[in-house]
Amino acid sequence: MPFPNLAGKQDAEPLVTPAEHSEYRHTEGESGRERLPAAVVLCYSRTLMDYLTESYDGQHVGNYYGDLYAFADADYSVGVLGNFGIGAPATAMLMDELIADGVGKFFSVGFAGCLDETIEMGEFIVCDEAIRDEGTSHHYVESAKYAHASDLLTEATIELLRERKEAFHVGPSWTTDAMYRETKEEVQQYAEEGVLTVEMEASAVFAVAAHRGVEAASMFVVSDYLGPSDWEPKFHLTREDMQHLGDTAKDVLAASPH
C-alpha cells in the first residue's frame, strides 16, 4: 500500500487552499495581516512562550489559532507562534496559513530527546535533516527517509552560534508522531546511524517549507536521554537553556534578510 494511500497526491489540487481559509478567517474576526511578521519562531513550550512574550515588548497579532506575537525590537518583522499544542499536524496547518498571509521564514525550537550520551545538557542541537516517521510530511512532498532544513537559514544559525562561541552539534533528528511508541530497537538503530535526537515536528516543518518554497530551520535543547535500556528525563533542568534557545532563534531571524 502506498503512503499516502493515493499515490502522487503531493502535486494534486487541494479541495481547500490555505489562502481561501485565510480569507474566510480574516473576514470573520480581527485581521492581523497588516502587521504580520515576516519570520516566525515556532514554539511548542508554554513556558518558553511566556518567557518570550514577557521579556520582549511587542504586540499580539490576530487572527490565528494559538498566539502570534510580534517583537517591537525587531520592528515587528520577527514574531513567535505558540500555545497551539505540539506535533506535526497542527504545526503544518499553521505554517500553511501563515505562509498564505506572507510569512517566509520559520524557526522551529523546542525540547528533544537525545540519543547520544556524549552530548551535554544545555548544548544546542541544530537539526539539518529529519527522519520522516510522522504522517504529515508525506502529504506535502514525495515520501523519502529524510526531510531537509533550508541551507541558508541553517548556515546563518551555525554562523551565529560560532560567533558567540556556543556549544552546539549539527546532525539529524528522528521525527515521530507516537512518543509512547518509541521502541528500544528504533533508538538503538537510529543511534548507530548517527541520529542525535527525537522529537515531533522537524520533518514536517521542513517538508511544508520545501513544498511552499519558504525557509525553515530547527534547533533543540536536550530534555531527556534515551538509551536502549533506560530513559533519563532532565526536563526540570532545562529552563534557562530553553530560554536561551528562544532568544537565539529570535536573533537568527532578526539578523536574516526579510
Side-chain angles (χ1 to χ4, degrees):
M1 178 183 294
F3 186 73
N5 289 333
L6 184 61
K9 71 161 288 182
Q10 295 86 355
D11 295 323
E13 182 179 357
L15 179 65
V16 179
T17 68
E20 288 172 332
H21 187 255
S22 172
E23 190 63 32
Y24 169 76
R25 188 178 65 255
H26 288 296
T27 58
E28 290 298 306
E30 176 193 0
S31 176
R33 285 180 292 186
E34 68 278 0
R35 55 186 188 277
L36 187 74
V40 170
V41 177
L42 298 171
C43 174
Y44 314 101
S45 163
R46 287 186 178 274
T47 302
L48 177 58
M49 186 68 179
D50 289 344
Y51 164 76
L52 290 172
T53 56
E54 292 170 3
S55 298
Y56 298 100
D57 291 334
Q59 61 183 5
H60 182 266
V61 181
N63 178 32
Y64 297 92
Y65 181 67
D67 293 313
L68 180 61
Y69 183 87
F71 299 112
D73 65 347
D75 294 327
Y76 304 100
S77 66
V78 176
V80 59
L81 178 69
N83 297 333
F84 60 86
I86 61 175
T91 305
M93 179 189 73
L94 288 165
M95 285 182 67
D96 263 340
E97 293 174 2
L98 288 169
I99 292 166
D101 284 349
V103 176
K105 295 180 190 292
F106 295 89
F107 205 134
S108 179
V109 298
F111 292 121
C114 189
L115 310 186
D116 185 340
E117 294 180 353
T118 68
I119 294 176
E120 299 289 339
M121 289 290 300
E123 295 178 342
F124 289 159
I125 311 295
V126 178
C127 178
D128 59 352
E129 58 182 2
I131 294 175
R132 298 169 60 187
D133 205 13
E134 38 67 42
T136 303
S137 67
H138 302 270
H139 296 269
Y140 286 83
V141 295
E142 186 175 347
S143 292
K145 183 171 182 177
Y146 285 97
H148 300 273
S150 303
D151 290 338
L152 290 176
L153 200 52
T154 302
E155 290 168 4
T157 302
I158 293 170
E159 182 177 349
L160 182 66
L161 294 173
R162 285 175 176 162
E163 288 177 359
R164 296 180 175 182
K165 295 181 170 53
E166 300 279 5
F168 70 97
H169 304 263
V170 181
S173 186
W174 163 32
T175 306
T176 176
D177 288 332
M179 186 178 77
Y180 294 119
R181 289 301 301 153
E182 297 165 3
T183 65
K184 297 177 181 179
E185 290 79 8
E186 288 171 303
V187 169
Q188 183 171 351
Q189 174 65 35
Y190 291 139
E192 290 174 355
E193 292 180 14
V195 175
L196 302 182
T197 54
V198 58
E199 37 66 49
M200 299 181 70
E201 296 89 14
S203 62
V205 169
F206 299 159
V208 173
H211 180 72
R212 299 297 184 191
V214 300
E215 292 187 56
S218 188
M219 189 163 56
F220 321 118
V221 292
V222 173
S223 59
D224 51 326
Y225 289 88
L226 287 80
S229 60
D230 59 4
W231 172 56
E232 188 180 357
K234 299 282 187 179
F235 293 88
H236 59 293
L237 302 176
T238 62
R239 182 182 180 88
E240 291 185 2
D241 298 329
M242 181 63 80
Q243 292 174 353
H244 187 37
L245 181 74
D247 293 335
T248 304
K250 174 180 174 291
D251 291 345
V252 170
L253 292 180
S256 64
H258 304 303

